[in-house]
Amino acid sequence: MALSRLLRGVNDGIRCQCLIGTTTPHTYTKEQVGESVKVAIEVGYRHIDGAAMYGNEVQVGEAIRSKIADGTVTREDIFYTGKLWNNNQAPERVRIGLEQSLRDLQLDYLDLFLIHTPMEFQPGDNPFPTDKNGKAIYHNTDIRDTWKALEACKDAGLVRSIGVSNFNKRQLELILNMPGLKYKPVCNEVECHIFLNQSKLLEFCKSQDIVLVAYGVLGSSRAEGWIDQNSPKVLEDSVFNAVAKKLNHTPGQVIQRYLLQRGVVVLAKSCIPERIKENFQVFDFELNDEDMEVLNGVKINLRYLTLDVWKDHPKFPFYDEY
């Protein structure tokens, strides 16, 4: 099964435990993100994390196909993760959302498809529906019905594995305990870094054989309107930098290694070729127990992506650690 590549150890040669992310930073174009995917594949990345909401699956798909065409990789080498956006959670729209991603990417199947968040907007073609006052229009489909529709997409061969993103323990249990469950979520993609190490959620996911995938591992892109511009920066933490200096590695490499050794799959993104290469160089060193303990102590329960934009949703806040 394709997901086995996500679960293997970091020294298996495929190294799918490191992902290249494809969210489009506000300072870069969609085309530049596509070029960064090409660089990432050339460097050695094989797991690419995308989503319909990022608005760049056309460019990402072109990049993947170009590296297949030039012989760098085959389709089977690539592990692509897509996500179901909030306007497509109604059961009758789940396959619509998935098939749109397949058309944009021009791929026959996805390796992994996630429910992007447990929040839902009004079903329809508008990804951000609003009322006459400009407020988001929400909906409240039972997430278990959404999950059943994802199971049907897997049975139809459109996707190899299915999972979730931004779910807490209670929401995971809704799916795990639902009558007639055919497929458990294979992963839960959440914000995770040294300021928010998700220790309790990680422990629960491990107990259920669910892989925890970390986004925001280097902090965040600090996009205005989404991130508090006055929040501390992960890569500037003094304790963390002291460990990196001692190991003669960059802070970005050390934080990824820290998460990998905790059994977390790491998602890092960059549109700078040198940084993409640097972020992938995390397999030739290890942190000792003392280093791990020091980094465990940095935790300050800081969440960058609070998603206050959805504060009026009946399921808010959905992102609590446990």
Side-chain angles (χ1 to χ4, degrees):
M1 187 172 84
L3 187 69
S4 63
R5 290 183 284 161
L6 182 63
L7 303 175
R8 294 175 186 168
V10 296
N11 296 315
D12 71 345
I14 297 176
R15 297 171 176 178
C16 271
Q17 282 189 293
C18 278
L19 295 75
I20 185 71
T22 61
T23 49
T24 305
H26 63 284
T27 52
Y28 293 92
T29 66
K30 297 175 183 180
E31 288 71 25
Q32 286 174 305
V33 172
E35 290 302 312
S36 72
V37 170
K38 293 179 184 178
V39 172
I41 292 174
E42 291 166 357
V43 165
Y45 280 96
R46 296 294 179 263
H47 190 160
I48 300 167
D49 183 86
M53 194 272 282
Y54 302 161
N56 56 20
E57 286 193 310
V58 169
Q59 291 77 15
V60 171
E62 289 173 350
I64 293 171
R65 295 194 312 280
S66 74
K67 301 318 294 180
I68 293 173
D70 71 13
T72 303
V73 291
T74 66
R75 173 64 184 93
E76 290 70 28
D77 292 329
I78 296 296
F79 191 103
Y80 184 84
T81 296
K83 301 184 187 74
L84 180 76
W85 187 235
N86 302 353
N87 61 315
N88 287 323
Q89 289 186 15
E92 67 275 11
R93 292 197 59 85
V94 169
R95 182 160 177 162
I96 292 173
L98 174 54
E99 289 181 334
Q100 183 60 57
S101 284
L102 290 172
R103 284 193 296 272
D104 289 343
L105 293 158
Q106 293 189 39
L107 297 177
D108 295 328
Y109 66 89
L110 299 188
D111 297 279
L112 178 62
F113 195 51
L114 312 179
I115 300 176
H116 204 144
T117 80
M119 312 281 277
E120 185 189 10
F121 290 146
Q122 180 185 64
D125 294 332
N126 186 349
F128 292 96
T130 56
D131 62 20
K132 62 181 180 181
N133 297 314
K135 290 190 174 184
I137 303 175
Y138 300 111
H139 201 249
N140 200 23
T141 295
D142 189 322
I143 203 70
R144 292 167 292 191
D145 292 332
T146 306
W147 187 256
K148 290 176 184 177
L150 259 72
E151 291 181 325
C153 289
K154 174 174 164 58
D155 286 338
L158 300 176
V159 59
R160 301 290 175 84
S161 298
I162 52 178
V164 299
S165 180
N166 296 303
F167 275 50
N168 59 32
K169 175 176 178 283
R170 296 189 307 275
Q171 291 154 348
L172 283 169
E173 287 179 329
L174 278 176
I175 294 176
L176 293 171
N177 298 328
M178 62 184 275
L181 178 69
K182 293 185 68 175
Y183 308 112
K184 290 170 53 175
V186 298
C187 73
N188 184 20
E189 186 176 306
V190 297
E191 180 180 342
C192 182
H193 40 75
I194 58 169
F195 287 169
L196 183 73
N197 67 27
Q198 297 281 16
S199 56
K200 292 182 179 179
L201 184 59
L202 175 60
E203 181 181 355
F204 174 75
C205 286
K206 285 183 175 180
S207 74
Q208 300 295 320
D209 294 322
I210 296 172
V211 178
L212 191 75
V213 179
Y215 68 76
V217 298
L218 305 180
S220 77
S221 59
R222 309 186 79 81
E224 292 187 12
W226 291 82
I227 308 297
D228 180 358
Q229 300 301 296
N230 296 316
S231 57
K233 298 179 180 180
V234 163
L235 297 181
E236 294 181 358
D237 179 77
S238 59
V239 175
F240 175 51
N241 273 271
V243 173
K245 184 177 180 180
K246 183 188 76 170
L247 295 172
N248 196 30
H249 280 275
T250 68
Q253 291 168 336
V254 172
I255 192 171
Q256 290 182 83
R257 187 70 211 183
Y258 164 71
L259 293 172
L260 287 169
Q261 289 184 207
R262 295 175 65 227
V264 176
V265 172
V266 174
L267 194 171
K269 67 175 185 291
S270 177
C271 287
I272 303 172
E274 293 75 17
R275 190 67 54 79
I276 293 171
K277 296 174 185 177
E278 175 187 295
N279 286 340
F280 196 67
Q281 295 168 351
V282 294
F283 301 102
D284 59 352
F285 73 102
E286 291 186 0
L287 305 178
N288 61 31
D289 292 343
E290 180 182 353
D291 295 330
M292 292 295 291
E293 189 61 29
V294 168
L295 295 180
N296 281 334
V298 175
K299 176 182 175 181
I300 58 175
N301 287 322
L302 172 69
R303 185 179 298 276
Y304 285 104
L305 194 60
T306 60
L307 299 180
D308 287 344
V309 66
W310 292 316
K311 62 182 180 296
D312 295 326
H313 193 283
K315 293 181 182 178
F316 186 87
F318 66 88
Y319 53 75
D320 55 332
E321 180 187 17
Y322 197 55

